[in-house]
PDB file of all heavy atoms in Angstrom:
ATOM      1  N   GLU A   1       0.833  -1.208   0.000  1.00 47.00           N
ATOM      2  CA  GLU A   1       0.000   0.000   0.000  1.00 47.00           C
ATOM      3  C   GLU A   1       0.866   1.256   0.000  1.00 47.00           C
ATOM      4  O   GLU A   1       0.581   2.212  -0.706  1.00 47.00           O
ATOM      5  CB  GLU A   1      -0.948   0.005   1.201  1.00 47.00           C
ATOM      6  CG  GLU A   1      -2.065  -1.007   1.098  1.00 47.00           C
ATOM      7  CD  GLU A   1      -2.961  -0.765  -0.093  1.00 47.00           C
ATOM      8  OE1 GLU A   1      -3.328   0.391  -0.351  1.00 47.00           O
ATOM      9  OE2 GLU A   1      -3.287  -1.746  -0.780  1.00 47.00           O
ATOM     10  N   ALA A   2       1.925   1.266   0.786  1.00 42.00           N
ATOM     11  CA  ALA A   2       2.823   2.426   0.836  1.00 42.00           C
ATOM     12  C   ALA A   2       3.479   2.641  -0.520  1.00 42.00           C
ATOM     13  O   ALA A   2       3.591   3.777  -0.991  1.00 42.00           O
ATOM     14  CB  ALA A   2       3.878   2.236   1.912  1.00 42.00           C
ATOM     15  N   ASN A   3       3.899   1.564  -1.164  1.00 50.00           N
ATOM     16  CA  ASN A   3       4.523   1.680  -2.476  1.00 50.00           C
ATOM     17  C   ASN A   3       3.532   2.179  -3.511  1.00 50.00           C
ATOM     18  O   ASN A   3       3.884   2.955  -4.388  1.00 50.00           O
ATOM     19  CB  ASN A   3       5.099   0.333  -2.921  1.00 50.00           C
ATOM     20  CG  ASN A   3       6.351  -0.030  -2.159  1.00 50.00           C
ATOM     21  OD1 ASN A   3       7.005   0.836  -1.590  1.00 50.00           O
ATOM     22  ND2 ASN A   3       6.664  -1.304  -2.130  1.00 50.00           N
ATOM     23  N   ARG A   4       2.290   1.738  -3.449  1.00 51.00           N
ATOM     24  CA  ARG A   4       1.277   2.185  -4.404  1.00 51.00           C
ATOM     25  C   ARG A   4       1.070   3.696  -4.294  1.00 51.00           C
ATOM     26  O   ARG A   4       0.812   4.357  -5.279  1.00 51.00           O
ATOM     27  CB  ARG A   4      -0.045   1.453  -4.184  1.00 51.00           C
ATOM     28  CG  ARG A   4      -0.009  -0.005  -4.615  1.00 51.00           C
ATOM     29  CD  ARG A   4      -1.348  -0.667  -4.433  1.00 51.00           C
ATOM     30  NE  ARG A   4      -2.418  -0.048  -5.174  1.00 51.00           N
ATOM     31  CZ  ARG A   4      -2.630  -0.164  -6.481  1.00 51.00           C
ATOM     32  NH1 ARG A   4      -1.819  -0.878  -7.211  1.00 51.00           N
ATOM     33  NH2 ARG A   4      -3.666   0.408  -7.057  1.00 51.00           N
ATOM     34  N   GLN A   5       1.191   4.241  -3.105  1.00 51.00           N
ATOM     35  CA  GLN A   5       0.995   5.676  -2.932  1.00 51.00           C
ATOM     36  C   GLN A   5       2.137   6.478  -3.531  1.00 51.00           C
ATOM     37  O   GLN A   5       1.991   7.653  -3.823  1.00 51.00           O
ATOM     38  CB  GLN A   5       0.839   6.003  -1.448  1.00 51.00           C
ATOM     39  CG  GLN A   5      -0.434   5.434  -0.869  1.00 51.00           C
ATOM     40  CD  GLN A   5      -0.507   5.601   0.639  1.00 51.00           C
ATOM     41  OE1 GLN A   5       0.368   6.196   1.254  1.00 51.00           O
ATOM     42  NE2 GLN A   5      -1.555   5.063   1.229  1.00 51.00           N
ATOM     43  N   ASP A   6       3.295   5.825  -3.749  1.00 54.00           N
ATOM     44  CA  ASP A   6       4.443   6.502  -4.322  1.00 54.00           C
ATOM     45  C   ASP A   6       4.362   6.627  -5.838  1.00 54.00           C
ATOM     46  O   ASP A   6       5.125   7.350  -6.441  1.00 54.00           O
ATOM     47  CB  ASP A   6       5.741   5.767  -3.961  1.00 54.00           C
ATOM     48  CG  ASP A   6       6.066   5.890  -2.485  1.00 54.00           C
ATOM     49  OD1 ASP A   6       5.542   6.822  -1.840  1.00 54.00           O
ATOM     50  OD2 ASP A   6       6.811   5.043  -1.975  1.00 54.00           O
ATOM     51  N   TYR A   7       3.460   5.903  -6.467  1.00 58.00           N
ATOM     52  CA  TYR A   7       3.370   5.925  -7.913  1.00 58.00           C
ATOM     53  C   TYR A   7       2.846   7.268  -8.404  1.00 58.00           C
ATOM     54  O   TYR A   7       2.020   7.903  -7.776  1.00 58.00           O
ATOM     55  CB  TYR A   7       2.436   4.826  -8.436  1.00 58.00           C
ATOM     56  CG  TYR A   7       3.047   3.458  -8.369  1.00 58.00           C
ATOM     57  CD1 TYR A   7       2.541   2.514  -7.493  1.00 58.00           C
ATOM     58  CD2 TYR A   7       4.124   3.115  -9.170  1.00 58.00           C
ATOM     59  CE1 TYR A   7       3.102   1.256  -7.416  1.00 58.00           C
ATOM     60  CE2 TYR A   7       4.687   1.867  -9.094  1.00 58.00           C
ATOM     61  CZ  TYR A   7       4.178   0.938  -8.228  1.00 58.00           C
ATOM     62  OH  TYR A   7       4.734  -0.301  -8.149  1.00 58.00           O
ATOM     63  N   ILE A   8       3.353   7.638  -9.543  1.00 69.00           N
ATOM     64  CA  ILE A   8       2.853   8.835 -10.213  1.00 69.00           C
ATOM     65  C   ILE A   8       1.621   8.406 -10.995  1.00 69.00           C
ATOM     66  O   ILE A   8       1.673   7.495 -11.805  1.00 69.00           O
ATOM     67  CB  ILE A   8       3.913   9.399 -11.179  1.00 69.00           C
ATOM     68  CG1 ILE A   8       5.141   9.816 -10.406  1.00 69.00           C
ATOM     69  CG2 ILE A   8       3.341  10.552 -11.988  1.00 69.00           C
ATOM     70  CD1 ILE A   8       6.315  10.188 -11.288  1.00 69.00           C
ATOM     71  N   ARG A   9       0.529   9.028 -10.748  1.00 89.00           N
ATOM     72  CA  ARG A   9      -0.704   8.697 -11.451  1.00 89.00           C
ATOM     73  C   ARG A   9      -0.736   9.485 -12.754  1.00 89.00           C
ATOM     74  O   ARG A   9      -1.172  10.634 -12.787  1.00 89.00           O
ATOM     75  CB  ARG A   9      -1.913   9.032 -10.584  1.00 89.00           C
ATOM     76  CG  ARG A   9      -1.905   8.380  -9.241  1.00 89.00           C
ATOM     77  CD  ARG A   9      -2.362   6.972  -9.354  1.00 89.00           C
ATOM     78  NE  ARG A   9      -2.468   6.378  -8.022  1.00 89.00           N
ATOM     79  CZ  ARG A   9      -2.447   5.092  -7.823  1.00 89.00           C
ATOM     80  NH1 ARG A   9      -2.328   4.284  -8.839  1.00 89.00           N
ATOM     81  NH2 ARG A   9      -2.546   4.599  -6.612  1.00 89.00           N
ATOM     82  N   LEU A  10      -0.265   8.853 -13.813  1.00 92.00           N
ATOM     83  CA  LEU A  10      -0.164   9.540 -15.100  1.00 92.00           C
ATOM     84  C   LEU A  10      -1.498  10.074 -15.594  1.00 92.00           C
ATOM     85  O   LEU A  10      -1.539  11.084 -16.291  1.00 92.00           O
ATOM     86  CB  LEU A  10       0.436   8.609 -16.153  1.00 92.00           C
ATOM     87  CG  LEU A  10       1.916   8.308 -16.032  1.00 92.00           C
ATOM     88  CD1 LEU A  10       2.341   7.331 -17.115  1.00 92.00           C
ATOM     89  CD2 LEU A  10       2.736   9.579 -16.131  1.00 92.00           C
ATOM     90  N   GLU A  11      -2.584   9.395 -15.225  1.00 94.00           N
ATOM     91  CA  GLU A  11      -3.897   9.830 -15.719  1.00 94.00           C
ATOM     92  C   GLU A  11      -4.241  11.255 -15.295  1.00 94.00           C
ATOM     93  O   GLU A  11      -4.989  11.946 -15.971  1.00 94.00           O
ATOM     94  CB  GLU A  11      -5.006   8.856 -15.304  1.00 94.00           C
ATOM     95  CG  GLU A  11      -5.211   8.712 -13.826  1.00 94.00           C
ATOM     96  CD  GLU A  11      -4.381   7.618 -13.179  1.00 94.00           C
ATOM     97  OE1 GLU A  11      -3.340   7.211 -13.740  1.00 94.00           O
ATOM     98  OE2 GLU A  11      -4.774   7.189 -12.090  1.00 94.00           O
ATOM     99  N   GLN A  12      -3.648  11.715 -14.193  1.00 94.00           N
ATOM    100  CA  GLN A  12      -3.941  13.078 -13.741  1.00 94.00           C
ATOM    101  C   GLN A  12      -3.374  14.127 -14.700  1.00 94.00           C
ATOM    102  O   GLN A  12      -3.801  15.275 -14.684  1.00 94.00           O
ATOM    103  CB  GLN A  12      -3.415  13.307 -12.330  1.00 94.00           C
ATOM    104  CG  GLN A  12      -1.901  13.382 -12.232  1.00 94.00           C
ATOM    105  CD  GLN A  12      -1.412  13.503 -10.813  1.00 94.00           C
ATOM    106  OE1 GLN A  12      -2.141  13.930  -9.936  1.00 94.00           O
ATOM    107  NE2 GLN A  12      -0.171  13.122 -10.580  1.00 94.00           N
ATOM    108  N   TYR A  13      -2.447  13.722 -15.546  1.00 94.00           N
ATOM    109  CA  TYR A  13      -1.840  14.659 -16.490  1.00 94.00           C
ATOM    110  C   TYR A  13      -2.496  14.618 -17.871  1.00 94.00           C
ATOM    111  O   TYR A  13      -2.142  15.399 -18.743  1.00 94.00           O
ATOM    112  CB  TYR A  13      -0.339  14.363 -16.632  1.00 94.00           C
ATOM    113  CG  TYR A  13       0.391  14.503 -15.326  1.00 94.00           C
ATOM    114  CD1 TYR A  13       0.825  13.373 -14.637  1.00 94.00           C
ATOM    115  CD2 TYR A  13       0.609  15.752 -14.759  1.00 94.00           C
ATOM    116  CE1 TYR A  13       1.479  13.499 -13.422  1.00 94.00           C
ATOM    117  CE2 TYR A  13       1.257  15.878 -13.543  1.00 94.00           C
ATOM    118  CZ  TYR A  13       1.689  14.747 -12.881  1.00 94.00           C
ATOM    119  OH  TYR A  13       2.330  14.868 -11.678  1.00 94.00           O
ATOM    120  N   PHE A  14      -3.432  13.702 -18.077  1.00 95.00           N
ATOM    121  CA  PHE A  14      -4.087  13.586 -19.379  1.00 95.00           C
ATOM    122  C   PHE A  14      -5.213  14.610 -19.459  1.00 95.00           C
ATOM    123  O   PHE A  14      -6.365  14.355 -19.132  1.00 95.00           O
ATOM    124  CB  PHE A  14      -4.613  12.161 -19.606  1.00 95.00           C
ATOM    125  CG  PHE A  14      -4.972  11.901 -21.040  1.00 95.00           C
ATOM    126  CD1 PHE A  14      -3.984  11.687 -21.986  1.00 95.00           C
ATOM    127  CD2 PHE A  14      -6.292  11.883 -21.440  1.00 95.00           C
ATOM    128  CE1 PHE A  14      -4.313  11.462 -23.317  1.00 95.00           C
ATOM    129  CE2 PHE A  14      -6.640  11.658 -22.768  1.00 95.00           C
ATOM    130  CZ  PHE A  14      -5.644  11.443 -23.703  1.00 95.00           C
ATOM    131  N   ASP A  15      -4.843  15.811 -19.883  1.00 96.00           N
ATOM    132  CA  ASP A  15      -5.778  16.933 -19.936  1.00 96.00           C
ATOM    133  C   ASP A  15      -6.124  17.270 -21.392  1.00 96.00           C
ATOM    134  O   ASP A  15      -5.861  16.474 -22.288  1.00 96.00           O
ATOM    135  CB  ASP A  15      -5.183  18.143 -19.214  1.00 96.00           C
ATOM    136  CG  ASP A  15      -3.834  18.577 -19.792  1.00 96.00           C
ATOM    137  OD1 ASP A  15      -3.443  18.086 -20.883  1.00 96.00           O
ATOM    138  OD2 ASP A  15      -3.163  19.398 -19.151  1.00 96.00           O
ATOM    139  N   GLU A  16      -6.703  18.429 -21.607  1.00 97.00           N
ATOM    140  CA  GLU A  16      -7.102  18.834 -22.971  1.00 97.00           C
ATOM    141  C   GLU A  16      -5.908  18.898 -23.917  1.00 97.00           C
ATOM    142  O   GLU A  16      -6.010  18.493 -25.079  1.00 97.00           O
ATOM    143  CB  GLU A  16      -7.848  20.166 -22.939  1.00 97.00           C
ATOM    144  CG  GLU A  16      -9.238  20.078 -22.336  1.00 97.00           C
ATOM    145  CD  GLU A  16     -10.140  19.065 -23.026  1.00 97.00           C
ATOM    146  OE1 GLU A  16     -10.186  19.035 -24.275  1.00 97.00           O
ATOM    147  OE2 GLU A  16     -10.799  18.286 -22.309  1.00 97.00           O
ATOM    148  N   LYS A  17      -4.779  19.399 -23.437  1.00 97.00           N
ATOM    149  CA  LYS A  17      -3.583  19.448 -24.286  1.00 97.00           C
ATOM    150  C   LYS A  17      -3.109  18.049 -24.631  1.00 97.00           C
ATOM    151  O   LYS A  17      -2.676  17.790 -25.755  1.00 97.00           O
ATOM    152  CB  LYS A  17      -2.460  20.229 -23.596  1.00 97.00           C
ATOM    153  CG  LYS A  17      -2.705  21.710 -23.535  1.00 97.00           C
ATOM    154  CD  LYS A  17      -1.548  22.428 -22.869  1.00 97.00           C
ATOM    155  CE  LYS A  17      -1.830  23.911 -22.772  1.00 97.00           C
ATOM    156  NZ  LYS A  17      -0.758  24.635 -22.087  1.00 97.00           N
ATOM    157  N   SER A  18      -3.205  17.144 -23.671  1.00 96.00           N
ATOM    158  CA  SER A  18      -2.818  15.754 -23.928  1.00 96.00           C
ATOM    159  C   SER A  18      -3.745  15.109 -24.951  1.00 96.00           C
ATOM    160  O   SER A  18      -3.302  14.316 -25.782  1.00 96.00           O
ATOM    161  CB  SER A  18      -2.835  14.932 -22.638  1.00 96.00           C
ATOM    162  OG  SER A  18      -1.828  15.363 -21.759  1.00 96.00           O
ATOM    163  N   LYS A  19      -5.029  15.442 -24.886  1.00 97.00           N
ATOM    164  CA  LYS A  19      -5.976  14.887 -25.859  1.00 97.00           C
ATOM    165  C   LYS A  19      -5.615  15.319 -27.273  1.00 97.00           C
ATOM    166  O   LYS A  19      -5.675  14.528 -28.217  1.00 97.00           O
ATOM    167  CB  LYS A  19      -7.403  15.305 -25.524  1.00 97.00           C
ATOM    168  CG  LYS A  19      -7.945  14.627 -24.286  1.00 97.00           C
ATOM    169  CD  LYS A  19      -9.325  15.143 -23.938  1.00 97.00           C
ATOM    170  CE  LYS A  19      -9.789  14.563 -22.606  1.00 97.00           C
ATOM    171  NZ  LYS A  19     -11.056  15.142 -22.166  1.00 97.00           N
ATOM    172  N   ILE A  20      -5.217  16.558 -27.425  1.00 98.00           N
ATOM    173  CA  ILE A  20      -4.798  17.062 -28.738  1.00 98.00           C
ATOM    174  C   ILE A  20      -3.513  16.368 -29.170  1.00 98.00           C
ATOM    175  O   ILE A  20      -3.384  15.925 -30.320  1.00 98.00           O
ATOM    176  CB  ILE A  20      -4.626  18.592 -28.705  1.00 98.00           C
ATOM    177  CG1 ILE A  20      -5.990  19.264 -28.503  1.00 98.00           C
ATOM    178  CG2 ILE A  20      -3.939  19.098 -29.980  1.00 98.00           C
ATOM    179  CD1 ILE A  20      -5.921  20.733 -28.157  1.00 98.00           C
ATOM    180  N   ALA A  21      -2.566  16.242 -28.240  1.00 97.00           N
ATOM    181  CA  ALA A  21      -1.311  15.551 -28.540  1.00 97.00           C
ATOM    182  C   ALA A  21      -1.579  14.095 -28.911  1.00 97.00           C
ATOM    183  O   ALA A  21      -0.946  13.542 -29.824  1.00 97.00           O
ATOM    184  CB  ALA A  21      -0.359  15.641 -27.347  1.00 97.00           C
ATOM    185  N   TRP A  22      -2.535  13.458 -28.198  1.00 98.00           N
ATOM    186  CA  TRP A  22      -2.880  12.074 -28.499  1.00 98.00           C
ATOM    187  C   TRP A  22      -3.445  11.961 -29.925  1.00 98.00           C
ATOM    188  O   TRP A  22      -3.045  11.087 -30.689  1.00 98.00           O
ATOM    189  CB  TRP A  22      -3.883  11.531 -27.485  1.00 98.00           C
ATOM    190  CG  TRP A  22      -4.296  10.128 -27.810  1.00 98.00           C
ATOM    191  CD1 TRP A  22      -5.480   9.727 -28.348  1.00 98.00           C
ATOM    192  CD2 TRP A  22      -3.501   8.950 -27.662  1.00 98.00           C
ATOM    193  NE1 TRP A  22      -5.469   8.371 -28.531  1.00 98.00           N
ATOM    194  CE2 TRP A  22      -4.268   7.860 -28.129  1.00 98.00           C
ATOM    195  CE3 TRP A  22      -2.212   8.712 -27.188  1.00 98.00           C
ATOM    196  CZ2 TRP A  22      -3.786   6.556 -28.117  1.00 98.00           C
ATOM    197  CZ3 TRP A  22      -1.734   7.405 -27.177  1.00 98.00           C
ATOM    198  CH2 TRP A  22      -2.518   6.353 -27.633  1.00 98.00           C
ATOM    199  N   ASP A  23      -4.364  12.837 -30.269  1.00 98.00           N
ATOM    200  CA  ASP A  23      -4.939  12.809 -31.618  1.00 98.00           C
ATOM    201  C   ASP A  23      -3.854  12.988 -32.682  1.00 98.00           C
ATOM    202  O   ASP A  23      -3.877  12.318 -33.719  1.00 98.00           O
ATOM    203  CB  ASP A  23      -6.008  13.891 -31.775  1.00 98.00           C
ATOM    204  CG  ASP A  23      -7.273  13.580 -30.981  1.00 98.00           C
ATOM    205  OD1 ASP A  23      -7.479  12.407 -30.588  1.00 98.00           O
ATOM    206  OD2 ASP A  23      -8.060  14.523 -30.755  1.00 98.00           O
ATOM    207  N   ASN A  24      -2.900  13.866 -32.421  1.00 98.00           N
ATOM    208  CA  ASN A  24      -1.783  14.066 -33.351  1.00 98.00           C
ATOM    209  C   ASN A  24      -0.911  12.819 -33.448  1.00 98.00           C
ATOM    210  O   ASN A  24      -0.445  12.455 -34.538  1.00 98.00           O
ATOM    211  CB  ASN A  24      -0.942  15.271 -32.944  1.00 98.00           C
ATOM    212  CG  ASN A  24      -1.652  16.576 -33.180  1.00 98.00           C
ATOM    213  OD1 ASN A  24      -2.517  16.684 -34.052  1.00 98.00           O
ATOM    214  ND2 ASN A  24      -1.310  17.581 -32.393  1.00 98.00           N
ATOM    215  N   MET A  25      -0.695  12.147 -32.303  1.00 97.00           N
ATOM    216  CA  MET A  25       0.123  10.934 -32.308  1.00 97.00           C
ATOM    217  C   MET A  25      -0.587   9.814 -33.071  1.00 97.00           C
ATOM    218  O   MET A  25       0.050   9.068 -33.819  1.00 97.00           O
ATOM    219  CB  MET A  25       0.458  10.476 -30.895  1.00 97.00           C
ATOM    220  CG  MET A  25       1.357   9.257 -30.887  1.00 97.00           C
ATOM    221  SD  MET A  25       1.949   8.835 -29.252  1.00 97.00           S
ATOM    222  CE  MET A  25       3.196  10.097 -29.071  1.00 97.00           C
ATOM    223  N   VAL A  26      -1.887   9.698 -32.897  1.00 98.00           N
ATOM    224  CA  VAL A  26      -2.649   8.686 -33.635  1.00 98.00           C
ATOM    225  C   VAL A  26      -2.549   8.970 -35.137  1.00 98.00           C
ATOM    226  O   VAL A  26      -2.336   8.043 -35.936  1.00 98.00           O
ATOM    227  CB  VAL A  26      -4.120   8.635 -33.165  1.00 98.00           C
ATOM    228  CG1 VAL A  26      -4.954   7.739 -34.067  1.00 98.00           C
ATOM    229  CG2 VAL A  26      -4.207   8.177 -31.714  1.00 98.00           C
ATOM    230  N   TYR A  27      -2.674  10.217 -35.507  1.00 98.00           N
ATOM    231  CA  TYR A  27      -2.547  10.601 -36.914  1.00 98.00           C
ATOM    232  C   TYR A  27      -1.182  10.186 -37.461  1.00 98.00           C
ATOM    233  O   TYR A  27      -1.072   9.605 -38.550  1.00 98.00           O
ATOM    234  CB  TYR A  27      -2.764  12.116 -37.069  1.00 98.00           C
ATOM    235  CG  TYR A  27      -2.643  12.596 -38.485  1.00 98.00           C
ATOM    236  CD1 TYR A  27      -3.680  12.399 -39.393  1.00 98.00           C
ATOM    237  CD2 TYR A  27      -1.494  13.248 -38.911  1.00 98.00           C
ATOM    238  CE1 TYR A  27      -3.571  12.837 -40.706  1.00 98.00           C
ATOM    239  CE2 TYR A  27      -1.369  13.682 -40.221  1.00 98.00           C
ATOM    240  CZ  TYR A  27      -2.405  13.475 -41.108  1.00 98.00           C
ATOM    241  OH  TYR A  27      -2.285  13.897 -42.409  1.00 98.00           O
ATOM    242  N   TRP A  28      -0.110  10.441 -36.687  1.00 97.00           N
ATOM    243  CA  TRP A  28       1.246  10.035 -37.077  1.00 97.00           C
ATOM    244  C   TRP A  28       1.338   8.519 -37.187  1.00 97.00           C
ATOM    245  O   TRP A  28       1.895   7.981 -38.145  1.00 97.00           O
ATOM    246  CB  TRP A  28       2.252  10.570 -36.045  1.00 97.00           C
ATOM    247  CG  TRP A  28       3.579   9.882 -36.088  1.00 97.00           C
ATOM    248  CD1 TRP A  28       4.591  10.101 -36.977  1.00 97.00           C
ATOM    249  CD2 TRP A  28       4.032   8.843 -35.214  1.00 97.00           C
ATOM    250  NE1 TRP A  28       5.646   9.267 -36.699  1.00 97.00           N
ATOM    251  CE2 TRP A  28       5.328   8.482 -35.627  1.00 97.00           C
ATOM    252  CE3 TRP A  28       3.470   8.189 -34.121  1.00 97.00           C
ATOM    253  CZ2 TRP A  28       6.071   7.493 -34.986  1.00 97.00           C
ATOM    254  CZ3 TRP A  28       4.211   7.198 -33.479  1.00 97.00           C
ATOM    255  CH2 TRP A  28       5.490   6.861 -33.911  1.00 97.00           C
ATOM    256  N   ALA A  29       0.773   7.804 -36.215  1.00 97.00           N
ATOM    257  CA  ALA A  29       0.879   6.345 -36.155  1.00 97.00           C
ATOM    258  C   ALA A  29       0.143   5.668 -37.305  1.00 97.00           C
ATOM    259  O   ALA A  29       0.516   4.569 -37.728  1.00 97.00           O
ATOM    260  CB  ALA A  29       0.343   5.846 -34.815  1.00 97.00           C
ATOM    261  N   GLU A  30      -0.886   6.308 -37.821  1.00 97.00           N
ATOM    262  CA  GLU A  30      -1.658   5.707 -38.917  1.00 97.00           C
ATOM    263  C   GLU A  30      -0.807   5.464 -40.154  1.00 97.00           C
ATOM    264  O   GLU A  30      -1.103   4.562 -40.943  1.00 97.00           O
ATOM    265  CB  GLU A  30      -2.869   6.575 -39.249  1.00 97.00           C
ATOM    266  CG  GLU A  30      -3.947   6.450 -38.195  1.00 97.00           C
ATOM    267  CD  GLU A  30      -5.128   7.379 -38.394  1.00 97.00           C
ATOM    268  OE1 GLU A  30      -4.999   8.382 -39.141  1.00 97.00           O
ATOM    269  OE2 GLU A  30      -6.171   7.115 -37.779  1.00 97.00           O
ATOM    270  N   SER A  31       0.282   6.212 -40.306  1.00 96.00           N
ATOM    271  CA  SER A  31       1.147   6.003 -41.469  1.00 96.00           C
ATOM    272  C   SER A  31       1.898   4.671 -41.388  1.00 96.00           C
ATOM    273  O   SER A  31       2.411   4.190 -42.395  1.00 96.00           O
ATOM    274  CB  SER A  31       2.138   7.166 -41.611  1.00 96.00           C
ATOM    275  OG  SER A  31       3.035   7.193 -40.517  1.00 96.00           O
ATOM    276  N   TYR A  32       1.955   4.061 -40.205  1.00 95.00           N
ATOM    277  CA  TYR A  32       2.611   2.769 -40.021  1.00 95.00           C
ATOM    278  C   TYR A  32       1.619   1.610 -40.076  1.00 95.00           C
ATOM    279  O   TYR A  32       1.998   0.451 -40.018  1.00 95.00           O
ATOM    280  CB  TYR A  32       3.333   2.713 -38.670  1.00 95.00           C
ATOM    281  CG  TYR A  32       4.486   3.674 -38.587  1.00 95.00           C
ATOM    282  CD1 TYR A  32       4.305   4.964 -38.102  1.00 95.00           C
ATOM    283  CD2 TYR A  32       5.756   3.295 -39.008  1.00 95.00           C
ATOM    284  CE1 TYR A  32       5.365   5.849 -38.025  1.00 95.00           C
ATOM    285  CE2 TYR A  32       6.825   4.181 -38.941  1.00 95.00           C
ATOM    286  CZ  TYR A  32       6.610   5.458 -38.462  1.00 95.00           C
ATOM    287  OH  TYR A  32       7.656   6.327 -38.392  1.00 95.00           O
ATOM    288  N   TRP A  33       0.346   1.906 -40.150  1.00 96.00           N
ATOM    289  CA  TRP A  33      -0.708   0.893 -40.046  1.00 96.00           C
ATOM    290  C   TRP A  33      -1.095   0.400 -41.429  1.00 96.00           C
ATOM    291  O   TRP A  33      -1.533   1.184 -42.269  1.00 96.00           O
ATOM    292  CB  TRP A  33      -1.917   1.500 -39.337  1.00 96.00           C
ATOM    293  CG  TRP A  33      -2.887   0.494 -38.837  1.00 96.00           C
ATOM    294  CD1 TRP A  33      -4.076   0.160 -39.426  1.00 96.00           C
ATOM    295  CD2 TRP A  33      -2.781  -0.302 -37.656  1.00 96.00           C
ATOM    296  NE1 TRP A  33      -4.709  -0.791 -38.664  1.00 96.00           N
ATOM    297  CE2 TRP A  33      -3.932  -1.096 -37.578  1.00 96.00           C
ATOM    298  CE3 TRP A  33      -1.816  -0.419 -36.657  1.00 96.00           C
ATOM    299  CZ2 TRP A  33      -4.161  -1.996 -36.540  1.00 96.00           C
ATOM    300  CZ3 TRP A  33      -2.037  -1.308 -35.621  1.00 96.00           C
ATOM    301  CH2 TRP A  33      -3.195  -2.079 -35.569  1.00 96.00           C
TER     302      TRP A  33
END
């Protein structure tokens, strides 16, 4: 339990800017698909 509390919860950083970055990354990745 103590170790779990030390983890960085990445989901807290997935905001509107991340959503835009994600969409751009998916667009980039489609060229490999």
Side-chain angles (χ1 to χ4, degrees):
E1 289 299 316
N3 287 339
R4 288 182 59 76
Q5 293 173 3
D6 291 340
Y7 285 112
I8 298 171
R9 304 280 185 201
L10 288 178
E11 62 270 22
Q12 71 184 338
Y13 299 106
F14 195 76
D15 58 11
E16 289 304 314
K17 288 181 182 178
S18 293
K19 289 176 186 174
I20 293 167
W22 178 255
D23 289 342
N24 289 333
M25 183 172 284
V26 171
Y27 180 77
W28 162 79
E30 286 175 341
S31 65
Y32 294 91
W33 196 258

